[in-house]
């Protein structure tokens, strides 16, 4: 397994913004440490443009991908929040299946230090050799870190407060380029002029005077979108600043407020605390999950969250959420 930085993806840049770029999250597993019927351990698929990203990989992730008719071979990057089993025990079999299916494309893996040792040991004792390049980048759990920087999208880590090193992930779209109003321009205008205007730049004559002002021939692109994933963590005020204004926030809510003391002891959050993060960060929508298997009904979680932040919902397995 190779340690390397993720290279820029030259194919990810969209040509114009005449139609919205797909950007959504699919909840594959929203349960906590102990799986139950109908609730699987944590896993999410992020779709951005034509790329798929997997966040966490609990047991049964492969089955959930099959059920949702998602080809694992389409996954470009995998992000693992921490080394508690319900968040990564599905990763070794997924990598093995990718190998058996004949994958040859590079796969990038971001996760805590030690994940590479775990996988290397498993591959060694199983005498398994991957036929595709697997690039691993360890995440610093103490400070936000830019993990991925593509022409239209960035992914940054979110330091969390859990019993072991743990990070969330912030997916943020870069400001889309302006939309060109081609009908306002002469038919014979040069391609170089079009490119310059698409980049929001004024086109000037040789003497410096303006030939085409970008403001007259373009309209601003759509607002950039963002999604934040906060895995296992106690309530942490530092998270609020980092996820401020995101369109969609997923935040763990293992307990209800009547078990707030227990939540603090085991480094988890309550539904009310997740809603406080959403409220103070002024996010667009909040989805809560990772509910303890001790709970059989979830209405109380939703009511508790909505009493603080009205735009709260329960994360439902199999649900697609557009960003």
């Amino acid at each position: 397994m190779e340690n390397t930085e993720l290279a820029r993806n030259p194919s990810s840049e969209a040509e114009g913004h005449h139609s919205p770029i797909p950007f959504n999250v699919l909840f594959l597993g929203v349960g906590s440490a102990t799986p139950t019927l109908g609730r699987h351990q944590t896993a999410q698929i992020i779709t951005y443009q034509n790329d798929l990203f997997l966040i966490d990989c609990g047991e049964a992730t492969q089955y959930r991908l099959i059920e949702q008719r998602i080809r694992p071979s389409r996954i470009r990057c995998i992000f693992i929040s921490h080394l508690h089993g319900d968040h990564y025990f599905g990763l070794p079999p997924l990598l093995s299946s990718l190998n058996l299916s004949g994958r040859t494309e590079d796969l990038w893996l971001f996760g805590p230090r030690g994940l590479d040792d775990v996988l290397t040991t498993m591959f060694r004792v199983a005498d398994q050799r991957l036929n595709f390049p697997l690039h691993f980048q360890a995440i610093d759990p103490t400070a936000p870190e830019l993990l991925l920087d593509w022409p239209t999208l960035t992914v940054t880590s979110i330091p969390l407060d859990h019993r072991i090193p743990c990070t969330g992930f912030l997916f943020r779209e870069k400001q889309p380029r302006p939309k060109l109003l081609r009908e306002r321009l002469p038919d014979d205008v040069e391609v170089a002029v079009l490119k310059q205007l698409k980049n929001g730049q004024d086109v000037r004559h040789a003497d410096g005077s303006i030939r085409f002002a970008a403001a007259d021939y373009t309209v601003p692109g759509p607002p950039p979108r963002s999604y934040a994933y906060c895995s296992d963590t106690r309530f942490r005020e530092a998270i609020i600043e980092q996820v401020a204004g995101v369109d969609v926030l997923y935040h763990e809510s293992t307990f209800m407020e009547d078990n707030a003391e227990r939540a603090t002891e085991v480094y988890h959050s309550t539904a009310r605390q997740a809603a406080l993060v959403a409220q103070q960060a002024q996010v667009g929508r909040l989805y809560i999950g990772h509910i303890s298997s001790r709970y059989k009904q979830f209405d109380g979680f939703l009511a508790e969250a909505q009493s603080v932040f009205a735009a709260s919902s329960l994360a439902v397995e199999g649900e697609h959420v557009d960003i």
Side-chain angles (χ1 to χ4, degrees):
M1 184 160 30
E2 179 182 356
N3 286 271
T4 183
E5 292 185 0
L6 179 57
R8 291 177 180 268
N9 176 14
S11 67
S12 290
E13 186 170 11
E15 286 298 322
H17 287 269
H18 302 290
S19 62
I21 295 174
F23 188 9
N24 62 67
V25 56
L26 167 63
F27 302 121
L28 294 175
V30 300
S32 58
T34 304
T36 61
L37 289 175
R39 273 191 290 168
H40 302 84
Q41 294 176 334
T42 303
Q44 299 184 5
I45 284 285
I46 305 297
T47 299
Y48 183 77
Q49 201 166 345
N50 295 316
D51 296 311
L52 297 187
F53 308 95
L54 176 64
I55 302 179
D56 279 342
C57 191
E59 291 180 47
T61 294
Q62 287 195 84
Y63 296 102
R64 300 295 292 136
L65 290 169
I66 293 170
E67 289 170 355
Q68 294 298 318
R69 299 182 179 181
I70 295 174
R71 289 186 289 111
S73 60
R74 292 187 57 205
I75 297 172
R76 295 289 307 279
C77 305
I78 300 175
F79 300 87
I80 300 298
S81 62
H82 65 295
L83 292 183
H84 281 158
D86 55 316
H87 291 261
Y88 85 102
F89 276 177
L91 180 59
L94 174 61
L95 296 176
S96 178
S97 293
L98 289 172
N99 200 49
L100 290 171
S101 69
R103 182 184 181 112
T104 57
E105 297 83 6
D106 292 36
L107 179 65
W108 283 271
L109 174 62
F110 301 85
R113 296 187 185 280
L115 178 58
D116 52 339
D117 294 331
V118 172
L119 294 175
T120 299
T121 299
M122 295 185 72
F123 295 154
R124 177 178 56 80
V125 298
D127 192 24
Q128 183 173 11
R129 296 169 176 81
L130 296 182
N131 296 315
F132 60 90
L134 178 60
H135 309 283
F136 174 72
Q137 181 172 326
I139 302 174
D140 179 359
T142 64
E145 181 180 9
L146 181 63
L147 304 176
L148 182 148
D149 187 2
W150 285 358
T152 58
L153 183 74
T154 63
V155 181
T156 306
S157 63
I158 303 173
L160 302 176
D161 182 15
H162 198 41
R163 188 165 55 85
I164 63 174
C166 184
T167 60
F169 304 101
L170 173 59
F171 290 71
R172 189 179 294 279
E173 187 177 40
K174 294 182 180 180
Q175 176 61 55
R177 294 187 300 173
K179 179 181 178 181
L180 181 66
L181 301 175
R182 182 65 179 84
E183 66 278 7
R184 294 188 181 181
L185 290 161
D187 292 337
D188 59 350
V189 69
E190 305 92 325
V191 173
V193 168
L194 300 180
K195 290 182 177 180
Q196 202 167 332
L197 291 173
K198 281 183 179 181
N199 289 326
Q201 300 170 346
D202 294 334
V203 178
R204 297 179 180 273
H205 293 287
D207 63 3
S209 61
I210 293 179
R211 179 184 174 194
F212 298 110
D216 295 334
Y217 297 95
T218 62
V219 293
R225 298 161 291 174
S226 51
Y227 173 68
Y229 167 87
C230 292
S231 177
D232 299 15
T233 184
R234 292 195 289 197
F235 177 79
R236 189 170 190 261
E237 290 189 353
I239 295 173
I240 296 169
E241 180 179 357
Q242 193 173 355
V243 304
V246 300
D247 294 293
V248 178
L249 167 66
Y250 172 90
H251 195 292
E252 74 111 298
S253 304
T254 307
F255 297 96
M256 290 181 61
E257 196 63 21
D258 58 355
N259 275 303
E261 185 175 340
R262 175 62 177 164
T264 299
E265 290 175 354
V266 295
Y267 290 81
H268 282 291
S269 296
T270 67
R272 181 177 182 276
Q273 289 170 338
L276 282 172
V277 173
Q279 178 198 56
Q280 295 178 31
Q282 298 182 340
V283 307
R285 287 175 285 166
L286 168 68
Y287 286 84
I288 56 175
H290 200 271
I291 294 173
S292 171
S293 60
R294 72 176 64 189
Y295 297 97
K296 309 306 177 187
Q297 301 293 328
F298 314 124
D299 291 348
F301 280 84
L302 184 58
E304 186 171 291
Q306 289 182 339
S307 69
V308 176
F309 185 72
S312 298
S313 301
L314 293 171
V316 177
E317 294 191 8
E319 179 182 7
H320 284 84
V321 174
D322 288 325
I323 310 299

